[in-house]
Structures are given as C-alpha cells and as structure tokens.
Amino acid sequence: MKAFEMYHPIVLFAYFASVIGLSMFYMHPVYLIITCTAAITLSLLLNRKSFLSGLKFFVPMFLIAAIINPLISHNGEIILFYIDYNAITLEAIVYGFAMSIMICSVIFWFGCYNAVMTSDKFLYLFSKLSPALALVISLTLRLVPRFKYQITVIAHAQKTIGMDISAGSPWQRGKSGIRILSILITWALENAIETADSMKARGYGLKNRSTFSLFIFEKRDGFMLGIILTLLFTNILGSYFGVTTYYFYPTFTELTVTPISIGLYISYASLLIIPIVIEIQEAIKWRSLKYNM
Amino acid sequence: MQAQSAARANNFARKRLIFSSIIIFVIIPIVMIVGVTMFNDRKYNLISMIIVLLACVPFFISFERRKPQPREILTIAVMSAISVAGRAAFIWIPAFKPVTAITAITGFAFGAEAGFLTGATSAIASNIFFGQGPWTPFQMFTWGILGYIAGLLGQKGWMKSKIALIVFGTVAGVLYSFCMDIWTVISYDGLFSWKRYLIAISTAIPFTIVYAVSNVIFLLILAKPIGEKLERIKVKYGMLNN
Amino acid sequence: MALIEIQHVNFQYPEKQERVLDDINLTIEEGEFAVICGTSGCGKSTLLKQLKREIAPHGEKSGTIYYAGTALEDLPDRVAASEIGFVMQNPENQIVTDKVWHELSFGLENLGLETMAIRRRVAEMANFFGIQQWFRKSTMELSGGQKQLLNLAAIMAMQPKLLILDEPTSQLDPIAATEFIGTLQKLNKELGLTIILVEHRLEEVFPIADRVVVMEKGRIICNDSPQNVAKQLKEYDYNHPMMLGLPTPVRINNALKVNDVVPLTIRDGRKWLSKHFSNDVRALKSGLSEKACDIVLEVKEAWFRYEKNLPDVLRGFSLQVHAGEIVSILGGNGTGKTTALGVLSGLFKPYRGNIFINGKSIKKFSNGELYRNNLAVLPQDPLTLLVEKKVHLEFDSIISVLKISKEAAKEQLDEIIATLGIGHLLDSHPYDLSGGEQQKVALAKVLLLHPKIILLDEPTKGIDAYSKKIFAEVLQTLKTRHVAVVMVTHDIEFSAQYSDRCAMFFDGDIVSEDEPKLFYSGNNFYTTASHRMSRHFFDHAVTSEDVISLCKHNQQLEPTTSPVNV
C-alpha cells in the first residue's frame, strides 16, 4: 500500500483537483518544468507499469501536437523559414512544445488520479454530493463485469445453436451481436427486479438514510488538507496579480526573477511534490523500523 | 391518490426548474465572468470542464430530491451497465458503440430525466473502467443531453417511426462527435478557434460516420424489442405509477 | 408466543382467474424452524412474499397476517424492514453494492444508523459468518456460496427476529448448500432465531425442522412435525409429487409401508433398516446393460488451458460415449468439468489431443455442420437460449434457420412438443415460466436441430424433484432414439438413478468411471443417500428403488409392522 493513497479521499481529491486545475492553467516555462517533472516522478512512483506502457502512445502524440502548432499558427516575431509562403516562427514551435508538455502532464496527472482514486473512494465522495446517483453508479460498476461474463455465456450458448458471433459475414456477425444484446437486456431487466426487491426488503427508501464508509478523517488528513488549500490559494493569488502569466506571442515574455516570483515557484513546486515527499518519508520510516527491529 | 402524486410531480418539476435556472443563469455566468476576468479570457479548458460539470448538477439534484424508487434506480443502472458492457459484444468494430442508442431507448421509454441519467452514468462508469480523463465531464454531458432529448421526443410519441429513428441516430452521432471535438480543440491550449475546430471535425469524419451509422443500426434493430421489454417490465412490476 | 399468524389469507394476481393462495391459515411460533415445501407453482413463494410487506406482489389480497400480534400493515416501516429479513433464491441478484463491506452495511445505512454503530454491527457479522478474509473484496469476486452467505450476513446485520428464505440453496453446489443450511441451523439453535424456509432439497432440512408445511394448489395440505408430515402425506396421496422430494429414508419407509417412527436421517435409516429387515439377499441380480453400440463421441487425451500463461485445466482428458447412452460427469467445483463440457461442445479448442464425432475430427466440421444433426448443448441457464416474447416464436426463429419445408417443420415441432409436454406453454413469455418449464422449452429448441449427441450442463440445478423426474423421462425417450446424452452434474442422486455410466472428474481428467451401481458402491463419501443408508446391510444398492426392492426380497422382521404386507 502506497503511503499517499492512505490519506482520506477528500484530501486526495483536493490534491488532484488543485494540481490538475493549476497544471491546465499555467503556461509559464518554469511552471511547466515543475509540472512535468513532478507528474513524471509521481507517475513512476504510483503507477509505473501503466505509465511506461502508455509512453509509446504519448511520445508520438506529444511530438505531433508540438509539430502541428507552427503549421497552423504563424504568429511570432522570430521567423525561421517559410513553407508555402507561410512563416514558421520559433515562438510557434516553442508554444507547440509547451502545449504538448501541458497536455501530457495533465494526462499523467489523470493517470495518477486513476491509480489512487479507486472506485470506492470516488463513490464515497460522490455519495456526499448525490447519494442516490452514487448508488446508481455503484450498482452499475457491479453489473458491468457481470454482464460481460453473461455476454460470453450467451455467446457460447448461441454459438451451439448456430448463431455464431465469431464467424460469418459482418452482417451475420452484427446480427448475432444484437441478438446477444437483446437476450442480455431481457435477462438483466428481469433479474434487476429482484435486486430492487432486495433493496426494498432491506429498508431502502426509509427516511434519514445515513452513509457509511471505511474512511476515517484523521487529524493528519485535516493537516494535509490545510497545507494543500493554503498552497492552492497562494498560487491563485499569485496568478490573480499576474505574476505567473507568460506570453509566447508576439514574442516571449521575459522571465522575472523577483523574491515574489521565486516564492510562488516554490509554493507551486511544494504543492506538486507533496505525494512524492510522503512516499520518500514513508520509505525512510520503514527502513529505520526494520533496522531497529 | 393520483391527484396527489401529480401535484407532487408538479412540485418537483417546479423545484427542478428553479434549480436549473439558478445554475444556468447565475452560477455558470459567474464562472464564465470569473474565468474571463481572472484568466484573461484564455482558459476555456478548465472553465469548460467546470461549466459542463455544473450543467449536470440540476439533473442530479432533482433526481436526489425526488427520492427515486429502487426499481427506477435499477433500471438506470442496468441500462448504463448494458451500454458499457455492450461494447464487449461489438469490440471488433472500432467506434461501434451501443451507448448512445441504449441511452436514447431508455429515454424513449422512461422519459427525459432517466435518459439523461443513463447517459451520464454510462460515461462515469465506462471511464471508471477505462480511466478518467479531462474528457469525462464532456462525455457525461453529451450522452446525458442526448438521452434527455430522446426522452423529450419519446414522450411526444415521435419516435415510433423508422424515419424518426434514422434522423435521430444520425443527428445524435454528429452531435456527439461535434461536442467531443470542442473538447479536442479546447484541450489543446485552452483556446477555441473555428479554424482548428473545422480541422478537428474534418479529421474525425470517419468516426462521426461510424457513430452515426452505429446509432442508426442499433436504434433500428433494438428500439422496438428493447422498448417492448421495458414496457413489459413497467406493466409486470407496476412501474407505471410514477 | 406466535410470531406469525396467518389468518384466512387469499391472494390472486391481477388478470388471473385462479387463486394462488386459497384460505391459508398458519401459525409460526417464536424460535421455530419451519420448512414450507410443495411442487413449483403451489404458491409457496407467493406466501413467503406476503410475509415481507415491502416486496409483496401486486394483486387482490384478503385476510390478515399478524406479526407479533400486530397486523403486518400496521407495523412501523422501520420495524417491518429490520425485524423481518428475507433471503432470495438467486445469490447474485440480491447483492446491491460492489464491495463486501458496503453490502454488509447497506441495510444499516437505510435504517439511518450512526457510523460507529454500523461499524460495530458489521464487524460482529463479519466475525460470526467468518467473512473477515474477504471483507474488502469486490462482491463479484466471490463464489456463489460466499455470495449467499454475504446476503444472509447483510440481513442478519439488521438484527431480524424472523428470517424468511426462498429456496436459498437452489443455485449452490452441494457443499456450499450444506454449509449454508448448517449456518441456518446455527442461527436457529444458538440465537433462537425464527426461520421460515422454502426448500425443495429436503434431504438435509427435513430432519432439522420443527415444523413442515406442505402446500398444493395454493392450499396447505399438511402442517405438522416432520415425523407426522411424512406419515400424513403418505395417507393424503401415496402418489403425491411431493413424495419424491422427501428425504431418502422417509421415501423408503413410506414405500415399504412400515408402521414405526419414521427415520428422517441416514443414521436413523441405517438402524431402521437393520431393525425391520433381514439381509439374506444382499444384492440384486444385475441385468447387464447391453453395450457395444457405436461410439458417437470420443475425446482422446485432450489438454486445455484458457491462456498460454495459465495452468492447465484439462490434463489428458479422455472419454468415449456410445449412441443411446446417458453419461454423467461428476466432480467438485473447480475440477474443470465445465471446461470439459466446453471442449466436448467445440467451444474451446484443446491445444493437444483431439475430439471425434462419429469418427470424424471436430476440427473438420464447420460450425453449421457441427451444431446441426450432430451436437447440441443445453446450457445451465436455459434463458441464454431464449430471446422471443412468446414460446412459440422461439421455435419459429429456429425453424427459419433450418430451411426445411413448413409441413416438415410443423410435424417435427409437434412431435417434440408432445414428447416434452409443453403444449400449454406456447403462448407464455419465457420469463414467466418456472425453471423446469424454461429448461424444457430450451431443450425443445435444441432438439429441433436433430442432435445425435446432447450435452447438458447441470440440468437439475434449481428444479424440484418432480420436474427432475419428468426431465429424466424425456432423457429416456431420447435414449430410445439412440441419442447420446452427456451431462455434467453435481446431482449424485439423479445421476445414480438415470445414467448408464458415471465418471468422476478430478484434476483435469476422469479418474474413475463405471455404471452407477459399481461407481457409487465403490465410493465411501461421494455417494448416494440410499447407499450410505444401506451399505452396511446390502451390496450395490445405490438408489432408493434398489433398497426398496432388496427389502422386498428379504423378510420383514418385526411384529410391529403393519398387517397389510407387501
């Protein structure tokens, strides 16, 4: 179990909402570097496998997105060369890369989000917003694997009476597919009535329903939530005063190095590396525990 | 009894209208204004995500306040799960998804609200299995609103004919593609330009066609039998009284 | 004190003529373990649902049901929901949420309990039912038996005073079913919980019940202790379909018309047998079954695994099946017997070994050829074959595929319908039929394809003893037409009674096979109730018929026997 994942879902959600929101928002080179480094590090820590296997998909996407921009956008002052009388500018190229970094980082953040926010955490949060709909989603999540299994069962049964989904012309295959779906729907709806009865039998619909979860909001969760929110507001404030704005067009804004901007860089970086710090801390703690045993 | 429930339904409808109005006319503009002034009018990606999410909220609230019966809850869950799992039956054709059609059929049979919820739930559930991304809110809203429209049309009794189904399927496919392309464009750098939008739409034409065609096929073949099945369930288990 | 008092209850479904419940009067005392039984359609499930207000079906009802002295309608919602627990037949359908812990707490959330209170009750239940190990698992990872145990635990968490169960074990394998019944007994004995159970597998519950209620056509025909019910039923109608469902010792006792305390368990049965009969004739003369028919299906050394990196499920599985033979494949869960059926039916391809149908390798058949005039499969869930809204449309859909003339089709269809006795079902919706009826409709559909070999997957699961008998008669008819039948089953009794050969499947292969008499008399644990009851006394008696006729060959010993002798 990863240490960061052990925090309360509210803390985790607050972290990802802040981080993803801010990452989508900042185009400032320093911020981009911080975002990208943190996103990659965290991905390696939290979901190494799917991150690495996803790379073969993201790297080309990254390059294509970067290349498309200078072909579409001809703004900018530093002209490198012309294609079909269209100016290809350095600004547009850099902007394209910056864009790609931002998009990829956001996708990496979502990868970490998916690794950390398992369905039960998501449903816990959602049930605070809308308990009835959270129940609908919970039921759906339970039914999907069941239906998938039932689809193979029906497909097998149908195959043995000569309705084969894996052979024949596309038209016939499509027809068998729809037949399977049709059988599935009847089956599912009739069975669902029993599930509804089971809910009613256990008192669903009584007044004052409570919600139960295994998650407990501890002191350290409150502490962490405080840190996240403080850092988030510091950054929003900084953006509001324009410290973090950066323009690529008509040409690059100059990078500012003032005590305030440095403070903001640090506050942004601190927000992003929270989970990384937690993971490292935990690793050290376990190592010392092991030695002391 | 009937008058009472009708009055209650009326009451709910009014409340829903108030909630929707508050969100549409107050909160969304506030988000837009804040976005435009604070973010110098160039961060559509974040703002659009928030707006789209907010747009779903009235539906959720009214569902919540209505205290849905277990059988309604189950119907929505079953139809959503089928549209997610149903992809497995057609996995061998890319972009050939029954989601829109099943959402629409639910809308025809159970009304606009059930249509919206089925669409939105399908989006959330399928993204829980395949991974959430920034596109989740867009998918939720697009499928939801398609289900909503289907519900409105179905209640008017317009969706009985084959031509209506063909038109609906095609339009829904195109709409879905267009809506998702808005996201494709915005996600690129938070800006929206018609030029890029056109490029995005034109590159997505093959997908749009598959969406539309699959919608039409699914609707033509499934609308009647599934509609009958839903009717049977309604009659057999007394779900008509709401 | 009476916990439940049913007074003059009548019920009929909307738009139906006959009453499903006809003047029911029944009292259940607190702490009682009551078993309600009857053939399918006798109204027992309807009666149970009347006891649970929340799920009582729509319809016309008269009469009153009192719960602890209060009319059921007047109970406060909260009391009605929590104090009367209801467990249904299908373990899957009752589960609402996707996590075990959430399922346990679901009812408590509905009651609006505080988090700490829920935590405590959930912990208590997890401990009592031994589900700590899978507490955080997804509900879909559980086995059928675990699911049903979870359903029971989730209801027990609400601390009911009355537990109602509608055929809770019919979808479970025998081991899980026994375990489940054991848990019920524990709840009844240790907590004094009042239980009303509807069951058709009476072998285990009959002896532990305090009261047995037998229903027929919406009426109660017997209501007494198990002992007395066993006697009353015999007097009521000796050929009553319910007789078939009674425990083996009871059936043997009834058939031999012995007047003594009726033996309910195997243990009592063994004593009873030695007490009342001599065993001068120990074995029946076995009429050797004629063999040497053609081999229609043969598996040679089949090896199979689902994926390259998964372990083998079949390890050199071999089997020969002759025309007109009924073969049962038995074995526990997870031994691979369902996979074996998949390989036999051509759905799974073995990576080594081969399958021959009428001497021709299965690989050389196209799908169309294989499943027409050759091989047919009746799946465990007959509903996977049924798609139309009327039974007769099911047949039309398959006939349209067959491309034969209308007259020929009609002739064939009429014959099949007559064989299976489903003429009265043609206009029904498949989902409105009972499990046994659904199965016959699915079988009829399959038979239209003229199979020479039929593969059955758990054909007796969830159907009552009488329907089993009818089904067995259909199999016998098929047999006379030289159709080979291979079934995978958990049902020891059924296989002993009706098959020509039984094969024990274990660890990916068949480890022993023989005709039922030899097969089961060679086993000590995995054998029929009749054999367990009689093996100290007779040889090779594996069905109740065997025991009965052996008894008749021997003398009745006691003077206490009835004057009317065999």
Side-chain angles (χ1 to χ4, degrees):
Chain A
M1 189 75 76
K2 299 281 198 297
F4 179 59
E5 292 169 28
M6 303 289 282
Y7 277 89
H8 194 269
I10 290 179
V11 177
L12 299 176
F13 186 78
Y15 173 78
F16 281 109
S18 321
V19 164
I20 291 172
L22 291 175
S23 312
M24 277 177 144
F25 180 67
Y26 288 138
M27 288 296 294
H28 193 291
V30 176
Y31 279 72
L32 280 178
I33 291 166
I34 297 172
T35 308
C36 189
T37 330
I40 291 175
T41 317
L42 193 63
S43 299
L44 286 173
L45 278 174
L46 289 180
N47 69 341
R48 172 184 288 269
K49 231 178 164 180
S50 73
F51 172 70
L52 291 177
S53 66
L55 274 185
K56 61 176 181 289
F57 175 68
F58 290 123
V59 170
M61 201 185 87
F62 170 83
L63 291 174
I64 291 169
I67 291 164
I68 283 177
N69 189 60
L71 296 178
I72 300 173
S73 162
H74 309 293
N75 294 336
E77 288 179 351
I78 309 168
I79 295 164
L80 297 178
F81 53 89
Y82 287 88
I83 293 178
D84 281 348
Y85 305 105
N86 285 323
I88 301 298
T89 66
L90 182 63
E91 285 90 349
I93 292 175
V94 173
Y95 185 68
F97 273 101
M99 248 25 276
S100 288
I101 291 176
M102 192 271 278
I103 296 170
C104 286
S105 304
V106 168
I107 290 172
F108 295 158
W109 285 129
F110 267 104
C112 297
Y113 169 91
N114 287 325
V116 171
M117 291 295 272
T118 46
S119 64
D120 50 337
K121 292 179 193 161
F122 172 80
L123 282 174
Y124 166 75
L125 290 176
F126 207 92
S127 70
K128 298 277 167 203
L129 284 177
S130 169
L133 199 64
L135 189 63
V136 172
I137 298 171
S138 171
L139 270 164
T140 310
L141 291 184
R142 192 186 113 54
L143 292 175
V144 169
R146 192 175 168 204
F147 289 177
K148 278 190 180 159
Y149 174 73
Q150 190 66 15
I151 284 176
T152 57
V153 172
I154 297 171
H156 280 161
Q158 289 294 313
K159 188 176 173 182
T160 60
I161 53 168
M163 314 271 179
D164 190 359
I165 189 176
S166 58
S169 68
W171 174 246
Q172 275 172 332
R173 293 175 68 186
K175 241 169 67 175
S176 322
I178 281 174
R179 206 181 154 74
I180 290 171
L181 212 55
S182 185
I183 297 177
L184 175 73
I185 290 172
T186 318
W187 177 86
L189 285 171
E190 301 274 346
N191 282 307
I193 294 301
E194 226 171 75
T195 314
D197 278 350
S198 151
M199 286 170 68
K200 263 204 238 163
R202 284 188 275 162
Y204 187 81
L206 292 175
K207 286 203 180 76
N208 304 324
R209 187 172 198 273
S210 62
T211 49
F212 172 72
S213 80
L214 295 177
F215 306 110
I216 302 170
F217 196 86
E218 292 174 41
K219 236 186 210 160
R220 61 170 204 151
D221 293 306
F223 180 65
M224 191 50 74
L225 190 62
I227 295 180
I228 291 170
L229 293 180
T230 315
L231 289 171
L232 174 69
F233 283 113
T234 320
N235 279 288
I236 291 178
L237 217 63
S239 318
Y240 187 71
F241 291 112
V243 186
T244 59
T245 18
Y246 186 86
Y247 295 107
F248 290 81
Y249 304 126
T251 191
F252 306 113
T253 328
E254 216 169 300
L255 286 177
T256 46
V257 185
T258 62
I260 290 181
S261 69
I262 290 177
L264 281 171
Y265 298 154
I266 291 174
S267 79
Y268 183 62
S270 322
L271 174 63
L272 264 55
I273 61 167
I274 286 173
I276 302 170
V277 171
I278 290 171
E279 294 299 335
I280 292 171
Q281 237 178 11
E282 193 77 357
I284 293 170
K285 200 196 303 173
W286 278 102
R287 179 171 294 182
S288 71
L289 275 177
K290 220 182 206 168
Y291 280 129
N292 292 337
M293 259 193 273
Chain B
M1 186 68 195
Q2 206 132 47
Q4 209 177 7
S5 69
R8 251 205 338 238
N10 237 335
N11 202 10
F12 282 133
R14 205 177 325 126
K15 274 187 185 153
R16 183 180 346 166
L17 194 68
I18 296 171
F19 274 111
S20 318
S21 315
I22 291 177
I23 292 211
I24 291 166
F25 296 114
V26 183
I27 300 184
I28 291 180
I30 288 178
V31 172
M32 282 180 172
I33 292 166
V34 169
V36 169
T37 54
M38 242 181 75
F39 305 156
N40 301 326
D41 193 16
R42 41 170 302 244
K43 286 299 164 190
Y44 292 122
N45 51 1
L46 195 57
I47 297 162
S48 63
M49 261 175 83
I50 296 172
I51 290 175
V52 166
L53 271 179
L54 283 177
C56 298
V57 170
F59 297 99
F60 297 167
I61 292 175
S62 82
F63 184 63
E64 202 59 48
R65 294 188 64 91
R66 207 157 50 83
K67 297 255 180 304
Q69 290 297 303
R71 281 172 186 181
E72 277 177 77
I73 291 182
L74 256 299
T75 315
I76 295 169
V78 164
M79 295 311 280
S80 309
I82 281 175
S83 61
V84 178
R87 292 170 67 172
F90 297 93
I91 204 83
W92 42 279
I93 316 177
F96 201 76
K97 285 183 267 190
V99 183
T100 310
I102 287 177
T103 303
I105 292 168
T106 316
F108 297 155
F110 289 98
E113 194 188 21
F116 185 92
L117 292 168
T118 307
T121 310
S122 306
I124 299 178
S126 84
N127 285 315
I128 284 179
F129 287 107
F130 299 103
Q132 305 283 356
W135 53 83
T136 306
F138 279 83
Q139 250 175 4
M140 261 168 82
F141 185 73
T142 315
W143 272 330
I145 216 73
L146 287 174
Y148 190 83
I149 296 169
L152 291 182
L153 295 173
Q155 305 281 280
K156 291 240 187 305
W158 291 349
M159 298 313 292
K160 300 261 192 299
S161 76
K162 288 200 167 166
I163 296 167
L165 291 175
I166 293 172
V167 172
F168 181 85
T170 316
V171 173
V174 173
L175 265 180
Y176 177 77
S177 194
F178 280 17
C179 283
M180 295 312 285
D181 283 337
I182 295 181
W183 167 249
T184 316
V185 171
I186 296 176
S187 72
Y188 187 58
D189 60 355
L191 290 172
F192 182 83
S193 86
W194 285 105
K195 196 169 148 196
R196 282 200 207 146
Y197 187 49
L198 286 178
I199 293 173
I201 286 176
S202 57
T203 50
I205 282 177
F207 288 99
T208 313
I209 292 174
V210 180
Y211 288 144
V213 169
S214 59
N215 284 347
V216 170
I217 293 177
F218 279 123
L219 279 174
L220 282 182
I221 301 181
L222 292 177
K224 203 166 154 245
I226 299 183
E228 277 170 359
K229 281 163 189 176
L230 291 173
E231 283 306 319
R232 174 182 141 79
I233 291 290
K234 276 206 265 188
V235 174
K236 185 171 173 187
Y237 300 104
M239 278 169 69
L240 282 169
N241 18 336
N242 43 68
Chain C
M1 193 189 81
L3 190 64
I4 283 284
E5 225 179 315
I6 304 173
Q7 289 182 355
H8 304 290
V9 165
N10 296 301
F11 181 79
Q12 74 193 75
Y13 283 104
E15 294 160 37
K16 290 273 163 67
Q17 291 303 312
E18 74 281 18
R19 283 182 179 170
V20 189
L21 298 178
D22 190 2
D23 194 31
I24 300 285
N25 290 290
L26 180 64
T27 307
I28 306 286
E29 301 293 329
E30 201 168 341
E32 244 183 342
F33 192 134
V35 172
I36 303 181
C37 53
T39 50
S40 60
C42 70
K44 55 191 192 302
S45 291
T46 313
L47 178 62
L48 276 200
K49 285 192 177 161
Q50 295 297 336
L51 298 177
K52 181 70 182 164
R53 196 174 78 187
E54 290 82 354
I55 56 171
H58 298 264
E60 216 170 289
K61 186 194 153 195
S62 64
T64 326
I65 299 173
Y66 294 98
Y67 170 78
T70 319
L72 211 54
E73 301 84 58
D74 300 335
L75 278 184
D77 286 345
R78 224 157 270 271
V79 175
S82 67
E83 291 195 1
I84 303 177
F86 196 103
V87 178
M88 301 174 207
Q89 188 172 16
N90 189 320
E92 284 274 0
N93 288 347
Q94 297 169 70
I95 296 177
V96 176
T97 63
D98 60 340
K99 291 282 189 260
V100 171
W101 61 265
H102 200 181
E103 190 64 24
L104 281 174
S105 62
F106 180 77
L108 304 173
E109 290 180 324
N110 294 336
L111 296 177
L113 263 63
E114 299 283 321
T115 297
M116 285 322 288
I118 294 181
R119 194 171 281 270
R120 185 169 155 191
R121 282 214 204 165
V122 162
E124 211 181 352
M125 281 308 117
N127 276 314
F128 186 86
F129 289 95
I131 53 187
Q132 304 96 316
Q133 297 302 319
W134 24 286
F135 184 63
R136 280 174 189 267
K137 272 195 183 172
S138 280
T139 45
M140 45 245 174
E141 288 172 50
L142 309 181
S143 71
Q146 288 175 322
K147 279 180 185 144
Q148 197 64 308
L149 209 59
L150 172 62
N151 289 321
L152 179 60
I155 283 158
M156 290 311 297
M158 298 174 77
Q159 302 182 340
K161 297 213 169 79
L162 169 66
L163 183 64
I164 304 170
L165 305 100
D166 189 1
E167 301 192 12
T169 65
S170 70
Q171 302 298 312
L172 309 184
D173 65 78
I175 292 172
T178 306
E179 202 178 316
F180 190 86
I181 298 291
T183 312
L184 289 184
Q185 199 182 2
K186 188 173 153 195
L187 287 170
N188 177 251
K189 288 260 149 64
E190 292 179 9
L191 304 173
L193 182 70
T194 314
I195 292 177
I196 303 177
L197 171 71
V198 157
E199 255 306 348
H200 58 241
R201 278 171 34 110
L202 293 173
E203 202 85 39
E204 283 153 29
V205 296
F206 205 82
I208 61 175
D210 297 315
R211 175 192 299 279
V212 174
V213 177
V214 184
M215 287 182 68
E216 185 190 55
K217 290 180 187 145
R219 292 178 145 271
I220 290 177
I221 53 169
C222 301
N223 170 19
D224 213 323
S225 69
Q227 273 287 334
N228 293 339
V229 164
K231 284 183 186 158
Q232 285 167 15
L233 196 60
K234 178 175 64 173
E235 281 147 25
Y236 176 80
D237 175 4
Y238 183 71
N239 290 319
H240 195 276
M242 261 316 293
M243 293 289 272
L244 294 168
L246 295 177
T248 309
V250 178
R251 266 184 294 141
I252 292 173
N253 173 77
N254 285 357
L256 292 165
K257 300 187 172 146
V258 176
N259 262 343
D260 191 8
V261 178
V262 181
L264 299 179
T265 61
I266 299 293
R267 192 186 61 183
D268 296 344
R270 288 167 74 99
K271 280 191 200 143
W272 174 93
L273 207 55
S274 339
K275 182 175 162 197
H276 291 282
F277 293 93
S278 67
N279 59 344
D280 305 325
V281 185
R282 278 191 73 99
L284 291 168
K285 278 189 205 106
S286 64
L288 272 172
S289 52
E290 71 278 29
K291 248 194 195 171
C293 272
D294 304 337
I295 294 173
V296 287
L297 175 65
E298 185 174 18
V299 190
K300 279 184 181 164
E301 300 272 318
W303 290 72
F304 176 80
R305 58 178 85 142
Y306 283 92
E307 271 166 47
K308 192 165 170 262
N309 297 324
L310 292 176
D312 284 316
V313 184
L314 300 186
R315 304 158 192 270
F317 164 52
S318 301
L319 180 70
Q320 287 183 342
V321 183
H322 304 85
E325 189 184 31
I326 301 175
V327 180
S328 296
I329 299 178
L330 298 117
N333 275 337
T335 49
K337 58 188 199 314
T338 303
T339 311
L341 198 71
V343 165
L344 285 176
S345 61
L347 290 172
F348 304 140
K349 309 265 181 289
Y351 68 89
R352 201 188 308 154
N354 206 347
I355 299 149
F356 297 94
I357 288 168
N358 292 322
K360 183 174 161 189
S361 166
I362 200 166
K363 292 171 196 154
K364 292 182 184 148
F365 284 90
S366 77
N367 266 331
E369 282 179 295
L370 182 59
Y371 298 120
R372 205 161 294 163
N373 307 327
N374 277 314
L375 187 68
V377 185
L378 185 66
Q380 201 179 103
D381 182 358
L383 293 172
T384 52
L385 286 180
L386 307 179
V387 62
E388 308 291 345
K389 52 189 167 182
K390 291 270 156 57
V391 168
H392 67 88
L393 295 175
E394 296 287 350
F395 302 140
D396 295 348
S397 76
I398 207 110
I399 286 169
S400 70
V401 182
L402 283 176
K403 293 173 189 132
I404 46 175
S405 75
K406 271 212 177 114
E407 294 75 47
K410 191 171 179 325
E411 201 177 302
Q412 288 174 12
L413 182 59
D414 287 346
E415 197 207 327
I416 289 170
I417 287 172
T419 313
L420 292 171
I422 50 173
H424 59 294
L425 307 175
L426 292 181
D427 276 324
S428 310
H429 192 289
Y431 278 81
D432 291 337
L433 307 178
S434 75
E437 289 167 339
Q438 286 169 347
Q439 193 184 39
K440 280 191 275 183
V441 171
L443 184 62
K445 206 171 162 177
V446 162
L447 287 179
L448 277 169
L449 296 165
H450 286 286
K452 296 191 186 74
I453 306 153
I454 297 185
L455 307 176
L456 308 169
D457 191 2
E458 296 284 358
T460 58
K461 191 173 186 176
I463 63 175
D464 63 38
Y466 182 67
S467 308
K468 273 187 205 176
K469 190 174 174 228
I470 304 287
F471 186 73
E473 282 163 12
V474 173
L475 293 187
Q476 298 297 336
T477 317
L478 292 176
K479 196 180 147 158
T480 59
R481 294 178 198 166
H482 297 285
V483 175
V485 176
V486 180
M487 60 180 163
V488 157
T489 182
H490 278 301
D491 195 332
I492 293 175
E493 310 292 333
F494 188 80
S495 68
Q497 212 163 354
Y498 301 110
S499 45
D500 298 309
R501 214 147 36 97
C502 292
M504 174 75 124
F505 206 88
F506 180 71
D507 197 29
D509 188 19
I510 286 171
V511 288
S512 69
E513 60 170 294
D514 219 322
E515 61 168 304
K517 271 194 186 12
L518 298 173
F519 178 84
Y520 282 117
S521 53
N523 289 353
N524 278 319
F525 301 94
Y526 199 86
T527 184
T528 61
S530 304
H531 183 236
R532 278 181 281 138
M533 178 174 153
S534 68
R535 71 171 163 232
H536 66 297
F537 209 64
F538 298 136
D539 296 326
H540 308 308
V542 296
T543 64
S544 52
E545 280 79 12
D546 292 345
V547 179
I548 291 163
S549 60
L550 271 168
C551 285
K552 284 180 182 167
H553 279 82
N554 286 293
Q555 301 166 290
Q556 218 156 336
L557 296 176
E558 294 293 310
T560 50
T561 49
S562 74
V564 196
N565 223 320
V566 188

